[in-house]
Amino acid sequence: MINKKSRDEIKRMRHAGHIVALVHQKMKEVVEPGISTKELDNIAMNIIKENRAIPTFLGYSGFPACICTSINQQVVHGIPSEDVILKEGDIIAIDVGATYGGLVGDSAWSYAVGNVSDDIKRLMKATEESLYAGIEKMCPGNVLDDISKAIESVAIRENMGIVRQYGGHGVGHEMHEDPFLFNYSVGDNTLIRPNIAIAIEPMFNLGGDDVFVEQDGWTVSTKDGKPSAHFEHTVIATDDGPLITTKLMN
């Protein structure tokens, strides 16, 4: 069942999203060669707690950290560690969730670590572009497949692999709610109604589509070892157009 959000719920989701955006604002400043992913996790935890929110990911199905940090061939759900140090040329996807007033904000962004290759720049640009192409279709009267097609069209044009086992999802009182949103067309004609919230999150690979779960039971990586990128915003469909909740409020 896809739940509509009330005015008050939307207000709290925007506040949660603002906190997530504060974390990403800081990540943009501190992601550089030499920093550990555990240090990034500590920074994110402090920002979330300072803003009287709860780190949504911590303890979720046993996940041991506040954020997900996925580097290079890692797609999603990477676990922060003191032993994982960013180096020049890496790409890191940082996924952040914060719960405020019982409502969730969820957003991921991919960051270049120092100077990266032209291929990684192309991967990041295409994946971010596909996110906004999908967001444009998050309007009442459209269907979920309109979003999926918009994302897929960018991948096809730019010759990117699409992660097919994972995708977007409804969000609100829980981090994962109905519906599931594919990042490629499957003919899903579920109607987008006013005031539903979806985390739109394309994941593209420089190589093939196939991924697998590492031995830690969490980290998802590309089978061919090629780099992956992940971009995500929480978006609410409104009569005035798509409302991105995971950005800084004025």
Side-chain angles (χ1 to χ4, degrees):
M1 181 178 176
I2 304 174
N3 296 315
K4 291 184 176 183
K5 303 302 186 285
S6 68
R7 182 179 297 180
D8 178 64
E9 287 172 326
I10 292 172
K11 181 178 179 181
R12 283 181 280 158
M13 287 189 73
R14 293 188 72 181
H15 197 105
H18 172 74
I19 296 166
V20 168
L22 288 174
V23 174
H24 279 297
Q25 182 182 57
K26 189 65 176 179
M27 293 296 104
K28 186 176 180 180
E29 295 175 8
V30 300
V31 166
E32 60 182 13
I35 195 168
S36 74
T37 53
K38 178 59 177 173
E39 188 172 350
L40 296 176
D41 187 65
N42 291 340
I43 292 168
M45 177 76 83
N46 288 336
I47 293 171
I48 291 170
K49 288 191 170 181
E50 284 170 2
N51 285 276
R52 297 176 294 137
I54 297 168
T56 311
F57 297 172
L58 183 61
Y60 183 84
S61 297
F63 190 75
C66 170
I67 60 175
C68 301
T69 52
S70 307
I71 300 172
N72 296 331
Q73 80 280 1
Q74 297 172 351
V75 182
V76 286
H77 306 158
I79 300 173
S81 169
E82 293 178 355
D83 299 326
V84 178
I85 310 296
L86 298 187
K87 63 182 186 301
E88 187 84 12
D90 284 342
I91 175 177
I92 179 170
I94 299 177
D95 199 350
V96 183
T99 303
Y100 180 87
L103 276 297
V104 174
D106 184 11
S107 173
W109 219 252
S110 292
Y111 299 91
V113 183
N115 294 312
V116 298
S117 69
D118 288 343
D119 277 345
I120 287 180
K121 289 177 184 176
R122 186 169 60 88
L123 169 68
M124 292 175 65
K125 181 179 178 182
T127 313
E128 183 178 357
E129 181 184 339
S130 77
L131 169 64
Y132 286 104
I135 289 172
E136 283 183 8
K137 300 299 183 181
M138 182 66 176
C139 299
N142 284 345
V143 297
L144 290 184
D145 209 56
D146 291 325
I147 301 173
S148 302
K149 284 179 181 176
I151 292 170
E152 183 182 33
S153 67
V154 178
I156 292 171
R157 189 191 74 213
E158 299 297 329
N159 195 29
M160 297 289 168
I162 302 173
V163 176
R164 296 177 185 270
Q165 293 94 323
Y166 301 86
H169 52 88
V171 62
H173 289 277
E174 303 290 339
M175 183 166 63
H176 293 108
E177 298 182 353
D178 289 336
F180 182 83
L181 176 67
F182 291 88
N183 286 322
Y184 57 98
S185 177
V186 294
D188 188 342
N189 289 321
T190 301
L191 188 65
I192 298 172
R193 300 181 185 278
N195 299 336
I196 71 166
I198 296 179
I200 300 173
E201 51 177 325
M203 290 158 264
F204 287 178
N205 304 330
L206 266 179
D209 299 346
D210 293 340
V211 299
F212 71 102
V213 179
E214 300 275 3
Q215 288 187 345
D216 61 18
W218 282 103
T219 307
V220 177
S221 296
T222 58
K223 277 192 175 179
D224 59 14
K226 298 290 182 66
S228 185
H230 179 201
F231 286 84
E232 174 188 25
H233 269 311
T234 298
V235 187
I236 296 175
T238 79
D239 290 328
D240 296 322
L243 172 64
I244 300 173
T245 64
T246 42
K247 65 179 184 179
L248 297 173
M249 293 191 295
N250 295 329

